[in-house]
Amino acid sequence: MTHARKPPRPTTAAAVSATVVAGAALGLAPAAQAAPPTPPPTAATATTATAASSVRFVDIPGDGGVTLAANVVTPTGSDDSGGSGGSGGSPRLPLIVLPTSWALPQVEYLAQAQKLADSGYVVVSYNVRGFWQSGGEIETAGPPDVADASKVIDWALAHTPADPDRIGMAGVSYGAGISLLASGFDQRIKAVAALSGWADLVGSIYSGRTQHAQAAALLSGSGELLGRPSAELRQIFQDFLGSDMAKENDIIAWGKKRSAATYLDRINANGTAVLLANAWGDSIFPPNQYADFYEKLTGPKRLEFRPGDHATGELTGLLGLPNDTWNDARRWLDHYVKGERNGINQERPVQLKARTGGGYEGYPSWSAVPSDQRRIDLPGTRRITANADSGADAGTVLLTGALDQFLKIPPLVSLPLLSRDRAAVWQSERYDAARRVRGTVRLHTTVTGDASSGTAVVYLYDVDALGVGKLVTHAPVTFHDRTPGRPFAVDLDLFSTAYDIPAGHRLALVVDTVDPLYIEHNPDGAHLTFSSPASDPSYLAVPVRD
C-alpha cells in the first residue's frame, strides 16, 4: 500500500538552484525555419504556474519491493487524490514520467514538471533507486531500473487520473538513458525525450577502446558520495579505471546490457517517437553514439545537437528559465503523447546549431548533414615518443564544453610551440573562403608501435595566421595485442561537430599520446610511427556543408 510522504523541509530557491546546478555539472530547419523560441517568463506567468498545479510527495513501490521517492505534479482541480484513476467523470490526462539524473533528487525537474502540469499533464518525477530517499542500490540503468519505470507507470495509472493510452517519458543524462531503455520494454510509452543521455554506454565512456578516465571517475565519485553503489558497480569501476584488460569483455557485456542500442529492434517494434538531444562537447556521452542510434530508428524521430557540455544545454530549463531544448521536448511530447497538431512532425528532423554561432540548421537526416567530403592528405612519416605530453589536450570534463558554449573559448594550442618529438603534426593549405565543418571527421592512417599496446589521441584544430589553434574536435584510440614493429591500419571517427573555419585559417591535425581525459596504454619510452604507404595513403576526410 502506498501513502503520501511528508514533504522535505522547505528549501530556499537558491538552495534548490544550487542543487540542480551541481547535479547538472555531474550528471529544425535553416535559420528561416528555426524552432520557435520559448517566450520569456514574467512575474504574472510565474505566479500562475505556481497556482495552476499542485505537488504531492509519495512513495512508490518499485521492482523487488524497493521504495522509490517521487513527487506528483497535477493541474489544479484534477482528481489526483489516489485510487480513482480518473473515475467519477473526471477526464483522464496524459502522463509524463521523469526519472532523475545521476545523483540528483526529484526536485531536479520541478520547474519543468510544473510547466507540463500547467499544460494538462500528470507528471511523476521519481528518484532512481540507490540515490537520495529511494531505496535499493545503484544499478546503472540495469534491468531493475527499467522495471522501476514500468512500476511507476503502474502506480500512476492506479493513483492519478493518468490516461493509459497517452504516456511519455523524459529525462536528462541518467534519466534520459533509463527513459530510452524503458521504451523498448514497455509498449505503453508512446514518446521519449532523451536529453544529454546515451544510446551506447560502451561507445560513450570506452570509445576507441580507451577508458574515459575523468568521466568514469566523476560518475564513480558522485555515486559514492550521494548514493549507494552496488557491489557489481564498484567492481566495474575498479576494473575499468584500473585498466584490467582481463575484465574487458565483462565490462563490455555490462555496458551493452545498459545500452538502448542493444534493444533497437524492440524500440522500433514499439514505434516509440524518440527525441534525442545532446551537446557537441558532451564529455560524458559524446554525440556520435546518439547520431548512429538515430539513423537506425524507424519510428518518429528527431535529433538535436547544440553547443555545450554534458547537460549544460538543459540547465537553464531546469532552473525554470527559457530553454530551447526543453521547449522542443515539450513540443515533442505535446504532439506524440497529447496529440496536439503543433507542426513539430513537419519540421526537418535533424536540427543543428554550430558551435561558432548562427541559428538552427535543419536537415532531412544525419547522413545529409555534410554535402561534401574534403580530403586532406597526410604524407610522410612521423615518429613520436609515447607517454609524453605534447601540450595538446581536449580540456576538462564538464568545464571545457561549457566554456566553449558560453564564452566561445575551446581548448587552445600554439602549433609552432608543439614538440614535434611528442606530437605528429600535419596542416592543410590556408583557406580562401570559410569552411563549414558539419558531421564526423574520419582519419585513416597506418600506425607502427614498438610495443604491443598503445594509445593515441587525435586532435583537429582551427589555426589562425599566428599559429594559434582552437580545438574543433578530437578522439582517442587504443590498441592491444599488436606485434611490435608491424604496421597496421587505423580508421578513427572523431567526435561529431559543427564548426565554421574562418577564411584565411587552416586546419591542423595533431596526434599525441597523453590526454588528462583518458587512460593511456603506452609503456615508458615507447614510440608510435604514423606513415602513409603508397599502397594505402593516409588522409583525413572532413565533412563540409556548402
Side-chain angles (χ1 to χ4, degrees), residues 184-200:
F185 290 85
D186 195 322
Q187 296 180 0
R188 298 172 296 181
I189 301 170
K190 305 301 182 187
V192 167
L195 316 178
S196 291
W198 76 92
D200 181 352

Side-chain angles (χ1 to χ4, degrees), residues 382-390 419-424 447-451 453-457 479 511-515 520-530:
R382 308 283 194 277
R383 183 174 185 265
I384 62 175
T385 301
N387 201 23
D389 192 353
S390 71
S419 168
R420 278 10 184 213
D421 179 62
R422 298 179 177 186
V447 178
T448 306
D450 52 20
S453 295
T455 297
V457 187
F479 62 88
V511 184
D512 71 6
T513 61
V514 175
D515 191 292
E520 51 89 11
H521 295 262
N522 301 294
D524 290 337
H527 296 85
L528 294 181
T529 300
F530 302 89

Side-chain angles (χ1 to χ4, degrees), residues 143-375:
D145 287 305
V146 175
D148 283 344
S150 291
K151 291 286 189 180
V152 171
I153 292 173
D154 292 342
W155 183 92
L157 294 177
H159 296 85
T160 75
D163 187 340
D165 296 321
R166 294 187 292 168
I167 298 172
M169 289 190 69
V172 176
S173 187
Y174 195 37
I178 291 174
S179 296
L180 202 53
L181 282 160
S183 72
F185 290 85
D186 195 322
Q187 296 180 0
R188 298 172 296 181
I189 301 170
K190 305 301 182 187
V192 167
L195 316 178
S196 291
W198 76 92
D200 181 352
L201 192 56
V202 178
S204 294
I205 62 173
Y206 195 47
S207 63
R209 209 178 175 187
T210 307
Q211 295 98 326
H212 293 217
Q214 288 188 13
L218 182 64
L219 294 172
S220 175
S222 57
E224 291 286 352
L225 180 65
L226 298 170
R228 298 174 298 281
S230 64
E232 178 189 36
L233 178 59
R234 285 195 174 103
Q235 188 63 52
I236 287 291
F237 276 129
Q238 179 179 326
D239 295 339
F240 185 83
L241 293 171
S243 301
D244 188 346
M245 300 312 301
K247 300 293 183 65
E248 183 181 40
N249 289 336
D250 293 340
I251 293 170
I252 291 173
W254 178 87
K256 285 186 175 180
K257 185 185 292 187
R258 291 158 171 81
S259 298
T262 303
Y263 312 104
L264 175 69
D265 291 345
R266 282 177 168 268
I267 296 172
N268 284 337
N270 290 344
T272 312
V274 177
L275 164 66
L276 304 171
N278 203 0
W280 293 117
D282 194 317
S283 50
I284 297 180
F285 304 127
N288 299 47
Q289 45 93 29
Y290 250 13
D292 293 344
F293 182 73
Y294 169 84
E295 288 288 85
K296 297 172 185 176
L297 289 169
T298 57
K301 58 184 179 178
R302 183 177 174 99
L303 178 68
E304 300 182 352
F305 286 137
R306 298 177 174 87
D309 207 313
H310 183 65
T312 62
E314 296 79 37
L315 179 57
T316 57
L318 292 176
L319 300 175
L321 301 175
N323 182 274
D324 284 355
T325 308
W326 278 107
N327 183 49
D328 283 351
R330 291 195 302 272
R331 293 172 61 223
W332 187 257
L333 298 171
D334 285 347
H335 181 77
Y336 288 103
V337 177
K338 193 187 289 185
E340 286 187 2
R341 296 184 177 182
N342 57 16
I344 195 168
N345 60 316
Q346 301 298 319
E347 297 171 3
R348 290 184 177 182
V350 176
Q351 296 287 326
L352 311 181
K353 194 169 188 179
R355 289 168 45 209
T356 40
Y360 287 93
E361 303 170 1
Y363 302 90
S365 66
W366 174 250
S367 59
V369 169
S371 56
D372 194 11
Q373 296 281 338
R374 303 294 170 86
R375 175 166 164 156

Side-chain angles (χ1 to χ4, degrees), residues 8 11 16 19-20 57 71 100 104-111 125 127 318:
T11 19
V16 171
T19 302
V20 174
F57 295 83
N71 58 44
T100 53
L104 279 190
Q106 71 267 25
V107 295
E108 172 190 10
Y109 299 119
L110 187 57
S125 172
N127 248 118
L318 292 176

